[in-house]
Amino acid sequence: MPLKKIFTLVFLLFCFLSLWAQKAKTIVHGVIRDAETKVSLAYASVVFEGLDIIVRTDIKGNFYLESDQDPNVIRCSYIGYETKTTPITVGKYQDLEIFMVESDSKLAEITIRPEKYSRKNNPAVDLIEEVFRHKDQNRKESLDFYSFEKYEKLRVDLNNITDEFRKKWYLKPFKFIFNNVDTNLVTQKVALPIYLRERVLDGYYQKDPTKQTAILRGIKQSGFTDENEEEDALGVDNEGVNAYLNSAFSDIDIYEPKILLLGTEFIGPLSGIANSIYRFYIVDTVVYQGKKYADVFFAPRNKADLAFMGNMLVALDSSYAVMKVEMGVPKEINLNYVSDLHIEQEFEVIKSGNTEKLMLVRDAVTVDLKILKKSKGRSLLSHKTSYFQNYTLNIPIPDTLFKEETLLQKDTGKVNKRDEQWWESRRVGQLSRAEQFVEKMVDSMQQVPLFKFLSAVGIVVSTGYQRVGFIDIGSLDAFYSYNDIEGDRFRLGGRTNSKLIKPLILEAYGAYGLRDRLWKYDVGVTWSFNGKVPRAFPQNQISLTYEKYLRVPGLSLDGLSQDNTVFSLQRTANNRMLLNRTFKLEYKKEYKNQLSYNIALLHKRVDAAGLLLFELSGGNPDNPDYSTSINTAEAGLFVRYAPTQKFYNGANGRIAIPGQAPVFTFTFKNGFKGIGGSQFNFQKLVLTAEKRFMLAPLGYSDLHLSAGRIWGKVPYPMLEIHPANQTYFYDWYAYNLMNFIEFVSDQYATILVQHNLNGFILNKIPLVKKLQWRENFSAKVLFGALDQAHNPAQTAGLFVFPKDTEGNTLTHALGKKPYVELSVGLSNIFSLIRIDYVWRVNYTELPGAPKWGIRAMLSPKF
């Protein structure tokens, strides 16, 4: 027989023997329930007897175990229940429903019932206190230096794809998408991946002085985004999407006292106040990777509080280090839209040079989102898994790596253009078949006519504009509005989009009031010098606009435009406005450290509109003199510094991603008399500062401070007309019981503070806590003064303060006492609505001044 054939036969025989020798895996899927109530038990421990494999049940009691060894028994344990052993068949798949019985032994004394838990003589509490005392030495920040490579995969699925859902008539054109689905081994639910993001980063840390940064080496996105564009065809800001995802799924440190996730602050199980928030129990002593650990179960005393439940493995040696943690949230938690949240962290001993330390090697966060979190329909399931490798410990890091004042730097302009070979060399594990086809699936969907139609409808609803080629027509929310001067008002406009010329925006609108029969309009052009769309960060752009528009003096709408349809609903007459004609040239520059400045030149003409008149003071009351208009020529500088703040650049403006960094602004304006008919020399200076303070478990507070000063003889429309709100909607930046043009100042200071307790009190009231309402409090204080030079009662040639038809003065200067508004309210009503009772503490004797009011707003929050 030829030698070649002999080798072939030997090779085939070897392959056959290898396949024959392989053992079938033993796979167990199941759910654990209380034997009496049939309620599922979350975070019960499930192990193959005799093997070093431990899993926990999820929030609904599901678990999944597999092994290629020969386990024939699984053991289930849970605090307050008898340990349950169940025989299984080796080498088979089996689906089990396991019922556990409450223990009658002493263990029943430490079940998670409040009346039976004790902190005294509790070994679990003593152990956790040791972990807390040793946490500084166990944290990676105790090292002088460290660096690592991080591979991160973030995936978003449409979850719970049932056979019934696949047969929906409206999904017939999209049947092909169901060829690429994944089944969750634990929950047995079928999910369709719709978005996938992979990132590779190098992280660097220096202890003294403390410096930290990460360099993005590569990023790859598949789904309804195009990573090569700042803004894709659907108007999605890809940089903003990434910034939001990074904020929502921020890195978790189990040793931190407070853990920020989904923009919400949770009290961690290793906080200094953890023993007041949590109950701790030692479930078992286990051997993991050759060392002995205590398996510690923890759960919040009040299941509605923002805290976790789960297990951690704590080393039973002098280090008291955490080797592994697996935790989630109770089903009863006061957290909107989250039907499940699961966190896993694993640590390993890393040796680098002469240093040896436990370091994080795997971090996984899973969040299941639903509009109604207890419903049984579809949901969005997000998984973020991070792998940390190639650590270096206590090896000095060059200062050049910290040269940029940002926490995230980009390696090169090619970070989003890495080839597949580059990704394969850095990817941990392999992409599933469904993950590999995400981009192809989305590309195919975008060719379906129904999808194109739905996308167009989605753009109109979300942006208010209808896209027609390179022009967006709108805005829908301002097409119709009503006020007492214009009556029924109609507006239509348009703007170019990036399909025309990416760095260019041309925009215009026209508006017409049926009552005053006057056209108002705006025309503008914006050019971005960095080649990006003008809204993209960091901005470097110039704009030129001319606008004729009606403006309510002292109007604040917290992000809405004055001609928004919502503004039509007023609690009192709105018949005194200013007609502005403004020519403006503005340059804006932003830096990566979130320092920005605007330089503006403008010429403005302002006329009185409606019942407003520009009567000159000091004249004959029987034959008063009137001014026709105000003309100004101004130059302004606006500086803003918001360290670490990120934005989502929406189609109509920026949306700040909530964070804890303070925001500082500086505004200075100078008026020049004699230029283009300008009538006034003046200066105006305004300083503001605002910050959010996270105060878990007592919620969070928002603080806004501002102060301003105006110099030069000017009429009251050019003074600070304090922001008022005459709608029934609550406005954070305005005084909600102040009328328009009610108070003016040339020097002022404001303090606005609001606090949301996040249900800290209501969560503890039986029955009420099921509503998951949250408490809100606010206080607004305004100090102001008016110099004699700006008071028309004391200085001739100024404009007389407006009066009503009965001769009562409508505009006032503040006295020695400040204006004060207080409010108390409930938010999270139907997970969406906030209602406040607002009362005006003083100046209630003024004509038309309301003493109290009910205000509402939409406030969707996690």
Side-chain angles (χ1 to χ4, degrees), residues 45-55 65-76 83-88 284-290:
S45 298
V46 187
V47 300
F48 280 134
E49 192 75 73
L51 299 182
D52 189 14
I53 301 175
I54 306 173
V55 299
L65 269 172
E66 69 173 51
S67 175
D68 55 6
Q69 299 185 48
D70 296 325
N72 54 17
V73 172
I74 61 169
R75 186 178 79 246
C76 306
T83 299
K84 181 73 173 285
T85 57
T86 303
I88 55 175
D284 201 353
T285 300
V286 299
V287 176
Y288 183 75
Q289 297 181 351

Side-chain angles (χ1 to χ4, degrees), residues 226 321 547 832 834:
D226 183 352
E547 188 173 18
L832 187 65
R834 168 177 165 174

Side-chain angles (χ1 to χ4, degrees), residues 574-590:
N574 180 22
N575 48 26
R576 293 173 175 83
M577 297 190 194
L578 300 172
L579 181 62
N580 296 264
R581 296 173 176 86
T582 304
F583 178 88
K584 183 177 182 180
L585 176 65
E586 183 176 28
Y587 173 73
K588 183 172 184 179
K589 173 71 172 178
E590 289 180 326

Side-chain angles (χ1 to χ4, degrees), residues 223-242:
F224 296 99
T225 58
D226 183 352
E227 69 267 21
N228 297 313
E229 298 291 338
E230 294 89 15
E231 180 183 84
D232 69 10
L234 297 178
V236 176
D237 169 30
N238 295 310
E239 289 286 346
V241 168
N242 278 308

Side-chain angles (χ1 to χ4, degrees), residues 416-562:
N416 55 0
K417 298 176 183 177
R418 305 293 191 188
D419 58 30
E420 188 57 32
Q421 184 177 358
W422 187 92
W423 281 104
E424 287 180 358
S425 67
R426 289 162 176 82
R427 182 179 288 134
V428 178
Q430 294 183 337
L431 297 182
S432 69
R433 181 175 178 273
E435 290 170 344
Q436 294 177 35
F437 283 91
V438 170
E439 187 171 3
K440 183 178 179 180
M441 177 198 71
V442 173
D443 288 343
S444 300
M445 287 183 64
Q446 292 177 341
Q447 305 307 314
V448 178
L450 178 59
F451 181 83
K452 292 180 179 180
F453 171 75
L454 294 175
S455 297
V457 172
I459 291 174
V460 173
V461 172
S462 61
T463 69
Y465 285 84
Q466 170 65 55
R467 180 159 291 186
V468 181
F470 60 82
I471 296 178
D472 297 340
I473 301 173
S475 159
L476 183 65
D477 60 1
F479 176 72
Y480 171 81
S481 60
Y482 176 89
N483 63 70
D484 294 308
I485 294 178
E486 296 175 286
D488 295 301
R489 182 182 194 271
F490 298 90
R491 168 178 157 169
L492 186 63
R495 65 191 182 197
T496 61
N497 55 54
S498 57
K499 287 186 176 181
L500 179 63
I501 302 174
K502 185 189 292 186
L504 176 70
I505 290 181
L506 304 172
E507 54 188 332
Y509 75 79
Y512 187 78
L514 299 183
R515 180 174 296 172
D516 68 352
R517 299 183 179 181
L518 287 177
W519 279 99
K520 293 85 181 175
Y521 50 84
D522 169 277
V523 291
V525 56
T526 301
W527 177 262
S528 176
F529 292 106
N530 56 21
K532 298 183 176 183
V533 293
R535 291 185 297 276
F537 176 84
Q539 293 179 339
N540 181 15
Q541 63 192 47
I542 191 169
S543 62
L544 181 65
T545 60
Y546 180 76
E547 188 173 18
K548 177 184 177 182
Y549 62 101
L550 272 178
R551 174 179 175 271
V552 177
L555 174 68
S556 170
L557 281 175
D558 196 5
L560 295 178
S561 64
Q562 177 178 311

Side-chain angles (χ1 to χ4, degrees), residues 518-706:
L518 287 177
W519 279 99
K520 293 85 181 175
Y521 50 84
D522 169 277
V523 291
V525 56
T526 301
W527 177 262
S528 176
F529 292 106
N530 56 21
K532 298 183 176 183
V533 293
R535 291 185 297 276
F537 176 84
Q539 293 179 339
N540 181 15
Q541 63 192 47
I542 191 169
S543 62
L544 181 65
T545 60
Y546 180 76
E547 188 173 18
K548 177 184 177 182
Y549 62 101
L550 272 178
R551 174 179 175 271
V552 177
L555 174 68
S556 170
L557 281 175
D558 196 5
L560 295 178
S561 64
Q562 177 178 311
D563 42 8
N564 191 291
T565 304
V566 172
F567 185 66
S568 302
L569 184 62
Q570 299 278 325
R571 58 180 169 81
T572 188
N574 180 22
N575 48 26
R576 293 173 175 83
M577 297 190 194
L578 300 172
L579 181 62
N580 296 264
R581 296 173 176 86
T582 304
F583 178 88
K584 183 177 182 180
L585 176 65
E586 183 176 28
Y587 173 73
K588 183 172 184 179
K589 173 71 172 178
E590 289 180 326
Y591 297 92
K592 290 182 179 180
N593 63 354
Q594 287 293 355
L595 176 67
S596 65
Y597 66 86
N598 298 33
I599 299 174
L601 301 174
L602 60 88
H603 187 277
K604 183 186 295 185
R605 173 182 169 178
V606 181
D607 296 315
L611 299 182
L612 196 64
L613 298 172
F614 289 165
E615 179 185 346
L616 296 174
S617 63
N620 184 351
D622 298 325
N623 188 23
D625 292 329
Y626 295 93
S627 176
T628 55
S629 62
I630 300 171
N631 288 278
T632 66
E634 305 172 20
L637 172 66
F638 175 82
V639 180
R640 184 179 190 271
Y641 182 52
T644 73
Q645 188 175 64
K646 302 297 181 183
F647 294 97
Y648 176 83
N649 292 307
N652 303 322
R654 286 183 165 183
I655 302 171
I657 297 173
Q660 300 181 58
V663 179
F664 304 98
T665 64
F666 166 90
T667 305
F668 181 76
K669 292 182 180 180
N670 193 93
F672 302 92
K673 186 176 182 179
I675 299 178
S678 174
Q679 303 163 290
F680 306 100
N681 283 316
F682 70 93
Q683 296 80 40
K684 182 176 183 178
L685 175 66
V686 180
L687 302 172
T688 69
E690 57 184 339
K691 178 174 169 52
R692 170 163 290 185
F693 296 89
M694 307 298 285
L695 304 169
L698 299 177
Y700 62 88
S701 289
D702 291 318
L703 177 67
H704 177 91
L705 305 173
S706 64

Side-chain angles (χ1 to χ4, degrees), residues 758-769:
N758 267 342
F760 182 77
I761 297 174
L762 298 179
N763 286 347
K764 297 170 178 57
I765 302 176
L767 299 180
V768 173
K769 66 181 180 181

